Every structure is written in C-alpha cells, then in structure tokens.
Amino acid sequence: MMNATDAPVFDSELIARYDSSGPRYTSYPTAPHFVDSFDETALRTAIRISNEEPIPSSLSLYVHVPFCFSPCFYCGCNRIITRDIGRADAYLERLYREIELTGELFDRDRVVRQLHFGGGTPNFLDLPRMREVLHVLGSHFHLSGDAHREFGIEIDPRYVDTDYIRGLGEAGMNRMSIGIQDFDPEVQRAVNRVQSVEQVAAIMRAGRECGFGSISVDLIYGLPHQTVERFTRTLDQVIALGPDRIATYSYAHLPELFKAQRRLEREALPDAQTKLALFGRTLERLTAAGYVYIGMDHFARANDDLARAQRAGTLQRNFQGYSTHGDCDIAGLGVSAIGRVGSTYSQNARDLPTYYAALDAGHLPVVRGLQLNTDDLVRRELIGELMCHGEVDKVAFGDAHGLRFDDYFAEDLKRLAPLVADGLVCDGTDAVRVTARGRLLIRHVAMCFDAYLRSNTTSTKYSRAI
C-alpha cells in the first residue's frame, strides 16, 4: 500500500514512451459511456434503493455555478461569461427547485458530510446570494455540523475580498481551492488570467483566520510561454504561501472542443519535452518542500487529511478527485452536474434552456446516466484501489466478489504484462502492486482493466497522462 515513503520515480524516457491519452478515472465507467435512456425515473429508483440499505451512505453535494466574469482561455469547463450578476437569479430560482425536489427523495437522517461548490466561478455569487444557497441547502438536507465535514468552494482570487472569505467562514464553509495556474506575468496575459501573489496571499490569510482548515491551490503546466525556469519561480512562490494541498493539472489543448482555447497561440505552447520537464520540476520542488505525492496531479502536506487517508488505506476517488469522503452518495445539483448514487451515475442537462425547462415542468433535469452492471462494479472497485493505493490483494478481492482473480482478469493481465516488463507493476501470486516507477503512470495501469476501452464504443478524446 502506498504511503509517504513511496516517492515516485521520475524517468523521463519511460514516461515519454507512455505519452498517450487516457481517462482520469474520477468514475468507472467514465462519463462518455453514460446513456440517454437513464432518466429521472431511474434516478428516483436509485435513491429509493439507497435509502433502503441497512446502513445508508452519508451524502456529498456538488453544486455547479456556471457563471464567470471573464474567460480564461485554457478553460474547458461548462461556464457562461457575463458581468451581470443578476443573471444568477433566474438560475438560482431553478437550482432551489432542484434542491427541493432532490432533498425530499433522500431520508433526512442521511447526513451531508461533504459539500463542494464548483464551476464556472462559484464566487460569482455575492455573499447574500451565497448565504441564501446555503440556507436553502440546509432547509432540504441534513448538513453536518461536525469538525470532520468538508464544505469547500473553488475561488477565483480576482473577484473576492477578505470580507467575502469571512462571510463564507461564518456560513460554515471550511475548505477552499484557489485557482492560480501560474504567477508568471506573460503566461497570465496569454491565458487572460492576471492576478498577483499578494492577492492570493491575502485571501489565504483571511481563510486561515476564518476557520478554513484546508486550503488548496491549482496550477496548470503546459500553458503558453511556460519554461522550466519561469514555472520554477511560480512553484517557489506557491510553496512560500504554504497551502495544504496543491493540484498540478496538465493542460489539454483541444481547441476543436473548447472555443476559448482557440485564443491561445499554438506556437507558444511548450513542446512535449518541455512539458514533461515542467512536471519533473514540479515533482522535484514539491516533494523537496515536504509535500506528499498522493497520485495523478495531487500533492498534500504529510499531516493533511488526504495523506492521512492514504496511509490509513481509506483514500477514495470521486468526481471531485481524491477524497476522504469518497464513499458518500453524491447528489449533483445545477446545470451539467454529475451525481453518483449506489450503483448508478446521473448527469443533468448541460445547457440552461434544457435545465430550466425540466425544472419549470416539475421534473429533475437528468438527461443521461448509467446503471452499472456486476462487471462494472467489480472493475470500479479494482480501479479505485489501484488509483488510490497502488495495490490490490488478489485473494481478498476475489473472496469479496466471489471470483478467482487471475481467471476473471486473465485478458486484463495480458495487457498488463508490458507494464510488468517495464517495471511499472509487480503481478505476483498474491497481489498486483504498482511500483515507484509506475506511480506516475497509474492511469496506464488502470486502463489495462478498463473493459470499455477495449470495446472502443466512443470517439472520446482523453487528456494525456502527463
């Protein structure tokens, strides 16, 4: 099982050889395999069944706020650009209807232990509107008040002040994720996101003073004009700020899918060799500063809940990434939001007119989803164990699912063999274990057990693994 001592090995030649695309496995099966036949009735049935479990899961709520004040040219999120905060009112009216319709389906004794506001830009909502959203959520769900709850929000530091952060803390929020991406002025101008170190530092100080027990920051490598030297300065500035967690995402340039990316100069993007070096420097700098490599693109301080959960073997993965509450049923609220209840996934309408029309007619705005079959559930657990802990006990896993591991996954283990030969994985009689050389290529290990990739039923373009 992976822990803080299992530092990943950065082998640039090996990683370059595996430089291909693949799912991030925030779910299995992944979202491209959701089907339109999964509708409101299917979601209602899934919730009813989940309520009837002997010990129903706690709840996690994801609330999507689609509005942004200005476009970031690298962005591939579902968002609407406007400076008119009044546009949020029609959206909130429908969101409150969805909260009411959804809340009444879950038993009131099911406690919400995780709440996450994503976007878009959640702090597009001013403090009175944000307080109102939290009040409505509390009226229809049982929100936890204990110290171990995770109530988080994504913050754009350009459009927030210390009073706003103080208000969020008073309303019960205790975690924040701040989008930095890069502090280099030329990179910021190229991606249309100009913000200073001082702005971010002030917001982090306010968060600490107001009870935010965990503060994370987001960085992106692979943006225009980035060099190893420039990104090293950003890394050093971030380390000096002292966040609890750091996410370092690989930029995926897909202008054919995301219109905003067409504003970027393709020739200014770092080449593959430079991009790999950017990640290598990130790994070097952050681990030297005492951050633990959790997996994929996430780092955390050794005393952070994520690192503790990984050491304890309780770390899980869901649509918010690595999580200490990954066992919760997730209710996705808002346009395009994705939920996970029991053995199902569901996704809301991805455009406002469709989202509004469903709620105006008194219906949940579900447009697609998936009912997982037995094989899906087996592989979901296996891939989750690999992504979070880098190890699967073949005997214990087989006993839990009534199967002989090597027989059931015979074809998958054949696909794993080249990775074993390259020293990324050990396939023993008792367990499959990811090595230190394989940790940075964990998605490739998981892909060997992905039955949907073999069927090749979609033309989905996934991001590159590094």
Side-chain angles (χ1 to χ4, degrees):
M1 187 171 296
M2 293 186 295
N3 57 50
T5 64
D6 295 329
V9 172
F10 181 80
D11 182 331
S12 59
E13 182 180 342
L14 179 67
I15 294 172
R17 188 144 48 87
Y18 281 89
D19 184 22
S20 61
S21 303
R24 295 179 57 80
Y25 293 114
T26 53
S27 73
Y28 179 84
T30 54
H33 301 289
F34 294 178
V35 295
D36 296 343
S37 57
F38 189 98
D39 56 11
E40 177 185 11
T41 299
L43 176 58
R44 288 178 175 271
T45 300
I47 295 173
R48 177 180 54 76
I49 292 172
S50 73
N51 286 332
E52 294 171 353
E53 291 290 326
I55 304 177
S57 300
S58 298
L59 298 181
S60 171
L61 304 181
Y62 172 76
V63 181
H64 191 79
V65 180
F67 304 103
C68 291
F69 289 108
S70 66
C72 300
F73 296 157
Y74 55 78
C75 186
C77 297
N78 185 312
R79 80 281 190 276
I80 298 162
I81 307 301
T82 179
R83 292 267 177 182
D84 179 10
I85 193 172
R87 285 196 63 183
D89 293 333
Y91 181 74
L92 293 178
E93 178 186 347
R94 275 56 172 233
L95 178 65
Y96 297 157
R97 291 180 190 172
E98 185 186 7
I99 291 170
E100 180 180 2
L101 288 170
T102 306
E104 68 186 14
L105 298 177
F106 288 99
D107 289 348
R108 286 289 290 182
D109 61 352
R110 299 184 67 177
V111 179
V112 175
R113 303 200 181 279
Q114 185 180 61
L115 167 63
H116 185 80
F117 285 88
T121 303
N123 57 287
F124 179 89
L125 302 179
D126 59 16
L127 206 48
R129 288 178 172 87
M130 184 59 74
R131 287 193 183 109
E132 185 178 68
V133 174
L134 289 166
H135 173 74
V136 174
L137 287 169
S139 297
H140 298 283
F141 289 94
H142 180 184
L143 302 184
S144 172
D146 70 39
H148 297 292
R149 74 186 190 282
E150 290 188 2
F151 286 8
I153 182 171
E154 297 170 11
I155 293 290
D156 184 335
R158 298 173 297 170
Y159 305 108
V160 72
D161 57 22
T162 55
D163 287 340
Y164 190 92
I165 299 301
R166 188 175 300 109
L168 290 178
E170 292 171 350
M173 305 299 290
N174 63 0
R175 295 174 181 265
M176 74 169 78
S177 174
I178 303 173
I180 294 175
Q181 323 319 347
D182 196 315
F183 278 132
D184 184 85
E186 186 175 5
V187 176
Q188 290 187 349
R189 286 192 295 270
V191 300
N192 196 41
R193 191 184 177 101
V194 177
Q195 59 201 20
S196 68
V197 177
E198 292 72 25
Q199 280 177 296
V200 175
I203 289 165
M204 291 182 65
R205 282 195 302 271
R208 299 291 189 203
E209 293 168 0
C210 299
F212 283 79
S214 179
I215 298 177
S216 63
V217 301
D218 294 344
L219 302 176
I220 298 178
Y221 64 94
L223 295 176
H225 305 295
Q226 283 181 333
T227 65
V228 173
E229 181 182 3
R230 286 178 168 183
F231 200 60
T232 299
R233 284 197 294 269
T234 287
L235 291 168
D236 290 344
Q237 289 166 318
V238 168
I239 290 168
L241 292 172
D244 302 283
R245 302 176 187 177
I246 301 173
T248 56
Y249 298 110
S250 170
Y251 171 64
H253 190 60
L254 300 170
E256 65 277 12
L257 296 180
F258 307 117
K259 186 176 179 181
Q261 295 185 357
R262 299 170 197 170
R263 305 284 295 274
L264 299 179
E265 302 174 48
R266 181 181 288 272
E267 55 274 13
L269 295 172
D271 59 25
Q273 184 177 2
T274 302
K275 190 176 181 183
L276 185 57
L278 290 170
F279 179 77
R281 181 56 57 86
T282 300
L283 182 66
E284 171 195 326
R285 270 297 201 269
L286 295 186
T287 53
Y291 286 90
V292 175
Y293 179 69
I294 301 299
M296 291 282 290
D297 29 42
H298 281 66
F299 298 80
R301 292 194 176 280
N303 62 350
D304 184 84
D305 287 347
L306 277 186
R308 292 176 188 271
Q310 189 169 68
R311 290 194 296 271
T314 58
L315 183 70
Q316 300 195 42
R317 191 161 171 80
N318 61 23
F319 291 109
Q320 279 76 61
Y322 287 104
S323 173
T324 57
H325 292 283
D327 56 336
C328 293
D329 279 338
I330 303 171
L333 303 166
V335 64
S336 78
I338 298 178
R340 185 195 71 193
V341 177
S343 59
T344 71
Y345 298 119
S346 60
Q347 184 171 26
N348 285 347
R350 287 171 283 184
D351 63 273
L352 289 186
T354 306
Y355 177 75
Y356 287 174
L359 289 160
D360 289 347
H363 295 291
L364 293 173
V366 180
V367 294
R368 65 180 194 143
L370 192 66
Q371 172 67 61
L372 278 64
N373 60 36
T374 301
D375 183 68
D376 293 335
L377 293 171
V378 169
R379 291 175 185 274
R380 177 168 77 174
E381 183 176 334
L382 172 59
I383 288 173
E385 286 296 309
L386 289 172
M387 295 294 292
C388 293
H389 307 296
E391 179 178 341
V392 177
D393 183 314
K394 290 183 176 182
V395 175
F397 189 91
D399 289 347
H401 295 281
L403 54 85
R404 290 178 57 85
F405 191 96
D406 286 354
D407 292 341
Y408 191 91
F409 295 108
E411 293 301 313
D412 309 276
L413 293 173
K414 289 179 183 177
R415 279 185 293 278
L416 192 68
L419 282 70
V420 173
D422 280 334
L424 306 184
V425 189
C426 292
D427 178 22
T429 57
D430 60 335
V432 173
R433 294 185 180 90
V434 179
T435 67
R437 281 169 59 82
R439 288 198 66 194
L440 298 179
L441 294 164
I442 189 66
R443 287 161 72 177
H444 290 278
V445 179
M447 286 162 63
C448 294
F449 296 92
D450 187 333
Y452 288 81
L453 288 181
R454 299 202 299 274
S455 64
N456 195 27
T457 56
T458 76
S459 58
T460 301
K461 292 189 176 182
Y462 295 106
S463 62
R464 290 192 176 276
I466 294 292

